[in-house]
Amino acid sequence: MDNTPNAGKKPLSLNIISSNEKSKHKGFGAGSIDLNNVSPVIIDGGEAKIDIGAMHAKSKVERGIKFSANREDVPNGRQVWVVWVAVDQTEEGKCYGGATACEMWIDTEAKRGWKILADHVNKLDYALKRKMMLDDLGSEEKAALKKLLVSHNEEWWDRTPETFKAALS
């Protein structure tokens, strides 16, 4: 008996299809979401950093943390934010198009954390749909995010819609 699970079968996986492949891709996974134009930003202690690991819940602050859906399990945690930022392509060029913020609480010493995974997934979807959901961020977090986005690409920031910029004021 072969101990290898599904020997000879290709495992199912999430297919991420880039925009230039969509027209020729017709089989399994057709219509999958394109994550090429969204990036996760971690805001921790008033500092914002792009951390691609957050795409799979493996950002620097999340590694080694056992998460619970019960907020009371992390009484000594600090508030950390994941902000999903979507980039748009306009006639003038790229700009920031959508951003949504998700809350986490992390206790690094106890290796415990709190987050609602469904909220993170839904907020990622909202950012992909170019929605703005940053009201829960404090002024320090908004300033840190704005500073990161401007320093990352000032031309993109200049082309960003005023409604996006206003959400960070």
Side-chain angles (χ1 to χ4, degrees):
M1 182 170 170
D2 188 359
N3 290 335
T4 310
N6 298 326
K9 291 184 180 179
K10 186 176 179 181
L12 293 177
S13 62
L14 174 65
N15 293 319
I16 300 173
I17 310 300
S18 70
S19 58
N20 59 356
E21 295 176 351
K22 285 180 183 175
S23 60
K24 65 183 175 184
H25 186 77
K26 304 284 187 224
F28 181 76
S32 298
I33 59 173
D34 181 358
L35 299 176
N36 288 328
N37 294 323
V38 67
S39 294
V41 173
I42 300 292
I43 303 176
D44 186 11
E47 186 176 355
K49 293 182 181 178
I50 297 171
D51 190 334
I52 298 302
M55 196 63 89
H56 300 285
K58 293 182 180 177
S59 66
K60 185 176 179 183
V61 295
E62 292 171 290
R63 279 186 240 138
I65 302 295
K66 180 176 169 133
F67 283 95
S68 167
N70 184 0
R71 175 68 180 91
E72 290 76 33
D73 291 345
V74 192
N76 300 318
R78 72 184 187 282
Q79 191 177 42
V80 179
W81 293 91
V82 176
V83 179
W84 302 106
V85 179
V87 176
D88 256 344
Q89 178 68 44
T90 66
E91 290 179 12
E92 295 83 31
K94 291 187 177 187
C95 66
Y96 300 112
T100 57
C102 314
E103 184 179 21
M104 296 189 289
W105 286 82
I106 308 268
D107 184 341
T108 307
E109 285 185 32
K111 297 185 185 282
R112 302 282 297 162
W114 170 86
K115 68 178 174 181
I116 304 296
L117 185 57
D119 182 52
H120 287 237
V121 173
N122 288 334
K123 296 276 179 75
L124 169 60
D125 182 52
Y126 295 146
L128 286 167
K129 292 175 180 171
R130 308 309 188 252
K131 297 192 187 257
M132 294 296 300
M133 300 174 80
L134 301 174
D135 293 341
D136 293 335
L137 292 178
S139 57
E140 181 182 17
E141 289 85 7
K142 287 180 181 182
L145 179 59
K146 180 180 178 179
K147 179 181 175 187
L148 173 75
L149 296 177
V150 171
S151 68
H152 178 71
N153 194 314
E154 196 166 350
E155 290 177 8
W156 291 5
W157 179 258
D158 292 341
R159 288 189 287 264
T160 295
E162 290 304 317
T163 54
F164 188 110
K165 294 176 180 178
L168 291 176
S169 297

